[in-house]
Amino acid sequence: MITCFIRYEIDPFKKEEFAAYSRNWGEAIPRCGADLIGYFGPHEGSATTAYGVYNIDSLAAYEAYRARLAADPLGRENYAFARKERFILKEDRIFLKNVSSQAGRD
């Protein structure tokens, strides 16, 4: 099991658009095969940093999941929404493995 952390830099004046985008992923991501931990938007401190976090079995499973997400009607709609509204200024992904628990020691 690996965890994907997506770090977003968002427009501070479009936090509501990012929240709508996040709610859509809350429906589409689990349907397409990843275990969504959640999307996290600015609250205190930075007004521009947000995260999306989910678990997936492997990088191979991630590739299949991304294909399903791109074909999913809500997934396509959400990608188009982000392009149109331009509230995401930057997006970075990193895949990490939990090494602190028994599950991470296989």
Side-chain angles (χ1 to χ4, degrees):
M1 179 74 63
I2 56 175
T3 303
C4 179
F5 291 83
I6 308 169
R7 182 184 181 281
Y8 296 95
E9 181 182 330
I10 64 171
D11 183 326
F13 300 104
K14 295 188 175 186
K15 289 189 278 188
E16 289 305 314
E17 288 85 343
F18 181 79
Y21 172 82
S22 299
R23 286 189 296 273
N24 288 338
W25 285 140
E27 187 179 325
I29 287 173
R31 181 173 57 234
C32 291
D35 175 25
L36 180 65
I37 295 169
Y39 270 72
F40 302 86
H43 179 68
E44 287 292 326
S46 174
T48 60
T49 302
Y51 291 90
V53 184
Y54 59 88
N55 292 317
I56 194 100
D57 288 333
S58 65
L59 288 176
Y62 170 76
E63 294 301 326
Y65 151 78
R66 291 285 292 193
R68 287 189 300 274
L69 197 60
D72 183 83
L74 183 55
R76 285 194 314 268
E77 182 180 307
N78 218 27
Y79 286 128
F81 173 59
R83 278 191 304 273
K84 179 178 181 264
E85 297 298 324
R86 303 182 65 86
F87 50 87
I88 297 172
L89 306 176
K90 185 177 178 186
E91 179 178 332
D92 295 306
R93 278 181 179 69
I94 187 169
F95 295 89
L96 301 174
K97 183 175 182 176
N98 184 345
V99 297
S100 66
S101 70
Q102 291 297 324
R105 294 187 179 139
D106 320 282

